[in-house]
């Protein structure tokens, strides 16, 4: 099976920008050069396992969220992303989010 390097790079860029981080900041946190980070985000090079782990840790996410994308998160990755989103919401929006979660939970129970 071949990895889609462009998609992986897009996932990294999306996660980075959601956190308000520059490419240079992420590269520094992950211990790689700015040029290498640029190549990873554009999908022109494959990264090592060490780089994947360092980037994941720097983004406070899991390798699966980078490799698989936003819709296939681990519970820990989902929780982290929700916590980041909640900080940006008003109290009314947070109440709505709780109601949505309850509706989803009820749908799951009724299946």
């Amino acid at each position: 099976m071949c990895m889609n390097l462009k998609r992986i790079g897009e996932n990294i860029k999306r996660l980075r920008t959601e956190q308000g981080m520059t490419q240079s900041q992420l590269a520094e946190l992950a211990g790689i050069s700015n040029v290498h980070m640029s190549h990873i985000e554009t999908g022109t090079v494959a990264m090592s396992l060490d780089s994947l782990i360092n980037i994941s840790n720097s983004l406070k996410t899991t390798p699966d969220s980078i490799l698989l994308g936003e819709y296939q998160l681990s519970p820990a990755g989902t929780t982290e992303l929700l916590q980041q989103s909640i900080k940006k919401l008003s109290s009314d929006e947070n109440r709505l989010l709780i109601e949505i979660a309850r509706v989803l939970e009820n749908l799951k129970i009724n299946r």
Side-chain angles (χ1 to χ4, degrees):
M1 183 169 123
C2 195
M3 290 192 303
N4 185 336
L5 298 179
K6 184 173 171 96
R7 175 61 96 123
I8 291 168
E10 289 168 354
N11 291 339
I12 291 170
K13 183 176 181 177
R14 176 184 47 77
L15 291 164
R16 174 180 61 75
T17 56
E18 284 174 357
Q19 296 182 33
M21 194 182 300
T22 67
Q23 195 176 71
S24 180
Q25 289 169 325
L26 177 56
E28 184 177 340
L29 287 170
I32 60 176
S33 73
N34 292 340
V35 171
H36 190 51
M37 178 57 68
S38 175
H39 289 166
I40 290 170
E41 283 194 2
T42 57
T44 56
V45 299
M47 69 184 121
S48 68
L49 183 57
D50 284 341
S51 292
L52 174 62
I53 299 300
N54 291 339
I55 291 169
S56 298
N57 290 338
S58 299
L59 292 171
K60 298 181 180 137
T61 192
T62 59
D64 65 317
S65 67
I66 289 174
L67 296 174
L68 301 174
E70 64 183 303
Y71 300 108
Q72 297 182 20
L73 295 174
S74 69
T78 300
T79 301
E80 179 68 30
L81 287 175
L82 281 172
Q83 287 174 341
Q84 291 169 11
S85 295
I86 287 169
K87 292 176 188 174
K88 300 173 189 172
L89 300 176
S90 69
S91 59
D92 286 340
E93 291 167 328
N94 276 313
R95 279 192 283 278
L96 180 59
L97 184 59
I98 291 168
E99 288 178 37
I100 291 169
R102 288 181 178 149
V103 167
L104 289 172
E105 184 179 14
N106 287 335
L107 287 173
K108 186 177 178 181
I109 291 170
N110 293 326
R111 282 190 210 167

